[in-house]
Amino acid sequence: MGCKQLDAFGLYRLGSIKKGKVDKDTEGTNLGFSGCCGTNSSKRKISKDQHYNTGEDKKVIGREMESTLKALRDGESVLDLSPRSTVSGGVEDIYGEDRATEDQLVTPWIFSVASGYSLLRDPQYNKGLSFTEKERDAHYLRGLLPPTVSTQQLQEKKLMNSIRQYQVPLQKYVAMMDLQERNERLFYKLLIDNVEELLPVVYTPTVGEACQKYGSIFRRPQGLYISLKEKGKILEVLKNWPERSIQVIVVTDGERILGLGDLGCQGMGIPVGKLALYTALGGVRPSACLPITIDVGTNNEKLLNDEFYIGLRQRRATGQEYYDLMHEFMTAVKQNYGEKVLVQFEDFANHNAFELLAKYGTTHLVFNDDIQGTASVVLAGVVAALKLIGGTLPEHTFLFLGAGEAGTGIAELIALEMSKQTKAPIEESRKKIWLVDSKVIKPTVLIGSSGVGRTFTKEVVEAMTSNNDKPLILALSNPTSQSECTAEEAYQWSEGRAIFASGSPFDPVEYKGKVYASGQANNAYIFPGFGLGLVISGAIRVHDDMLLAASESLAKQVSEENYKNGLIYPPFSNIRRISANIAANVAAKAYELGLATRLPRPQNLVKCAESCMYTPVYRNYR
Ligand SMILES: O=C([O-])CC(=O)C(=O)O
Ligand SMILES: [Mg+2]
């Protein structure tokens, strides 16, 4: 059976943009910024007269959805595996019992009941001072703990007190990572109960600094490191990981960590952080999460010369060598964990991100957070913002600064949603979206995703404000240092009129006696619930309509009270409920598209999602 090309999200359009005319004289237009539209790593320039909707785009438009659905109808290609990843038998053959895996190496895992000292040292089961008297007797813990028996609540209080005493964010980060390695449930209890306070610690912006200094703060490995040294042995490497039932893998190659660029092997902080959110925000079990860093070297001279750098000391492998390693990895993942494991690509550089998504979208359950997750969260924010700025989605004009993964992904998803609403071809919708600056357009929505900080200058924000009663301004680049502008700047320069959200959080701002709280337009709203939806439905492929389903669900959960405060996202304090609703909407779409394998379909998908969610409450040991 042939493996028909099934266009994954955003692929051909990027190809066409890449092929587009590059004009070096694109600077200076009515909004006062240059036409530079690449991320740090891409540094591409796109001509100002190259409208998003180009002739070349048209040729490939519509293929993705149509071909997906057609392929599904024909029953031909969606489930096909590429020849190298086809396995006959051996799927999830954990203990090496099948004939088909006779020639494969086996890790001699032994599972035993932890007790005594090793129980205290096991982060999955350790409860510290919360072991009861009975448990202390039954599990050989007498004398290994001081006499007091604490509650989990008291432990939480104590740890929050101590974390709050650290002034330096990185110290808070290290304290949280230490806790995760010592007492996993308590770590998640803290994160879940104090999500708004701790998100900036374990996630952006602090995780960015942590990655930059990862070699210096490295204590224990928290995920799998797959480097060029492991070429030919990746399946064995996967088998070294102690957990067998993996549902979500977040993988990076470290080449574009947030807006900080190439951090090589030290990008590991990102998969670790994202998966902590998968559990805390989306309820995916920690044991089912696997952070992975693919190390093909780094072009970051500073790291190559850093004596504490933890990765391969060589320049990045590219081309065939790179793709061969990635292919071995993707094949091994499917062979080891089966069809339903979600592989989330995170912080790959543009040139690889689109290609990997295209290549593996047909054979694996893959999701690119930077292209698709960010698109879904931004579409939700824009749809919600319509309540504040007025008009319908197709009535607005969008200008992007940054046509990398996020910019392209967002533009595509907005165009897709517009064309669903207007029933007009997607080419028409694309005409409202500009990936470059131009003298003639008067954008109503300004979206920054260039990875370059401070590009929304006073001039830019003032120009937006002079054209719009309520300009919608999204400064998406992370971490805070790379934000296109600060919340304070947005409110000051727009005289309090901007509807503003940013990728990394900003504190509320006071302007002329009024307090303005801004939202966080970060894919953290989407990926945990999105992944949970895939997991509970047993989905085998990601489809664009699932991204729309996630986005729709998020937008619906913005309350009147939020709107009154100028917010276009609900607060993170409700994120578990938000994620359960997103999961239910995504799962419903998976069933509708015939991409779900967990049958029969649960009647109430919200209840199903909620009941599947991880709880950090201590369990009693017999
Ligand atoms: O990690 C974040 O905060 C959002 C994201 O995916 C990125 O900036 O690459
Ligand atoms: Mg990312």
Side-chain angles (χ1 to χ4, degrees), residues 273-288:
K274 291 273 175 186
L275 284 165
L277 269 52
Y278 255 107
T279 299
L281 279 52
V284 177
R285 294 193 290 262
S287 62

Side-chain angles (χ1 to χ4, degrees), residues 473-503:
I473 300 179
L474 305 177
L476 302 178
S477 296
N478 297 309
T480 318
S481 60
Q482 309 308 109
S483 188
E484 284 76 6
C485 68
T486 65
E488 189 167 12
E489 288 165 347
Y491 294 120
Q492 260 183 18
W493 294 337
S494 70
E495 295 176 338
R497 274 158 50 198
I499 306 298
F500 177 77
S502 53

Side-chain angles (χ1 to χ4, degrees), residues 90-366:
V91 178
E92 291 185 84
D93 176 24
I94 295 160
Y95 304 108
E97 294 162 297
D98 296 3
R99 239 191 83 193
T101 58
E102 256 176 15
D103 58 345
Q104 286 174 21
L105 296 174
V106 167
T107 309
W109 286 103
I110 292 176
F111 297 94
S112 58
V113 178
S115 67
Y117 195 71
S118 51
L119 179 56
L120 290 181
R121 297 277 147 173
D122 186 332
Q124 248 178 325
Y125 292 108
N126 180 29
K127 301 197 256 187
L129 292 179
S130 290
F131 280 109
T132 62
E133 300 285 1
K134 195 169 150 247
E135 286 168 338
R136 291 175 192 212
D137 278 333
H139 294 278
Y140 307 95
L141 295 170
R142 283 271 160 222
L144 298 182
L145 288 163
T148 199
V149 176
S150 177
T151 60
Q152 197 182 23
Q153 283 67 26
L154 193 66
Q155 289 180 308
E156 180 178 0
K157 184 177 171 190
K158 181 184 73 179
L159 276 153
M160 285 309 294
N161 280 347
S162 88
I163 284 169
R164 284 177 185 138
Q165 275 165 27
Y166 291 119
Q167 297 302 314
V168 179
L170 195 60
Q171 289 175 325
K172 294 182 195 244
Y173 176 89
V174 171
M176 284 300 283
M177 292 301 110
D178 274 352
L179 178 59
Q180 190 177 19
E181 283 163 28
R182 197 169 68 239
N183 183 337
E184 188 177 85
R185 279 179 191 260
L186 194 52
F187 167 82
Y188 283 112
K189 182 95 172 78
L190 257 70
L191 196 47
I192 290 167
D193 292 349
N194 307 275
V195 66
E196 288 186 312
E197 184 175 347
L198 293 177
L199 214 51
V201 175
V202 301
Y203 193 58
T204 186
T206 311
V207 71
E209 189 188 352
C211 288
Q212 288 172 314
K213 300 176 180 165
Y214 212 68
S216 300
I217 61 172
F218 182 86
R219 285 153 197 239
R220 282 189 202 194
Q222 293 170 290
L224 275 179
Y225 292 87
I226 300 177
S227 78
L228 287 169
K229 286 192 206 169
E230 280 70 55
K231 190 172 159 41
K233 302 180 203 161
I234 296 181
L235 190 61
E236 285 171 54
V237 173
L238 294 182
K239 289 179 193 281
N240 286 346
W241 186 251
E243 299 294 346
R244 316 278 76 212
S245 306
I246 299 299
Q247 291 170 330
V248 183
I249 290 171
V250 176
V251 60
T252 189
D253 72 354
E255 190 167 2
R256 195 237 69 188
I257 294 301
L258 308 176
L260 300 171
D262 184 353
L263 298 184
C265 192
Q266 303 197 161
M268 181 56 109
I270 295 294
V272 169
K274 291 273 175 186
L275 284 165
L277 269 52
Y278 255 107
T279 299
L281 279 52
V284 177
R285 294 193 290 262
S287 62
C289 295
L290 174 54
I292 297 183
T293 293
I294 306 280
D295 185 351
V296 295
T298 179
N299 296 338
N300 184 327
E301 291 297 331
K302 202 170 156 216
L303 290 179
L304 287 172
N305 293 321
D306 178 350
E307 62 178 325
F308 300 130
Y309 181 57
I310 57 171
L312 286 185
R313 271 169 214 276
Q314 65 169 73
R315 297 187 74 77
R316 278 186 180 275
T318 56
Q320 202 56 42
E321 195 182 4
Y322 176 85
Y323 278 100
D324 281 352
L325 194 76
M326 285 306 298
H327 193 70
E328 188 191 337
F329 166 68
M330 293 302 292
T331 306
V333 160
K334 190 157 165 178
Q335 190 163 356
N336 205 37
Y337 302 116
E339 187 89 3
K340 288 176 283 184
V341 64
L342 170 64
V343 178
Q344 175 165 319
F345 293 120
E346 193 71 50
D347 291 6
F348 283 75
N350 286 332
H351 54 109
N352 291 325
F354 288 100
E355 200 149 334
L356 291 170
L357 189 57
K359 190 165 173 193
Y360 295 104
T362 56
T363 55
H364 292 64
L365 183 69
V366 290

Side-chain angles (χ1 to χ4, degrees), residues 528-590:
F530 189 81
L532 182 66
L534 299 176
V535 167
I536 62 171
S537 61
I540 47 157
R541 296 290 179 274
V542 167
H543 190 286
D544 287 356
D545 281 3
M546 298 174 182
L547 302 174
L548 293 180
S551 182
E552 175 196 58
S553 170
L554 177 57
K556 267 199 202 148
Q557 297 181 73
V558 188
S559 68
E560 287 306 321
E561 164 121 27
N562 301 150
Y563 287 128
K564 256 190 235 147
N565 296 324
L567 289 171
I568 55 172
Y569 292 102
F572 268 115
S573 49
N574 295 333
I575 187 65
R576 280 168 81 88
R577 207 202 54 218
I578 294 166
S579 294
N581 286 321
I582 291 175
N585 231 30
V586 169
K589 191 54 78 178

Side-chain angles (χ1 to χ4, degrees), residues 53-109:
N53 182 7
T54 66
E56 212 167 333
D57 285 334
K58 285 177 191 162
K59 289 185 207 152
V60 293
I61 280 161
R63 285 176 58 182
E64 83 210 54
M65 303 269 305
E66 281 313 305
S67 65
T68 306
L69 293 172
K70 183 170 182 315
L72 286 170
R73 276 194 300 269
D74 296 350
E76 286 180 41
S77 60
V78 172
L79 289 174
D80 286 356
L81 311 176
S82 65
R84 286 181 60 184
S85 61
T86 301
V87 283
S88 49
V91 178
E92 291 185 84
D93 176 24
I94 295 160
Y95 304 108
E97 294 162 297
D98 296 3
R99 239 191 83 193
T101 58
E102 256 176 15
D103 58 345
Q104 286 174 21
L105 296 174
V106 167
T107 309
W109 286 103

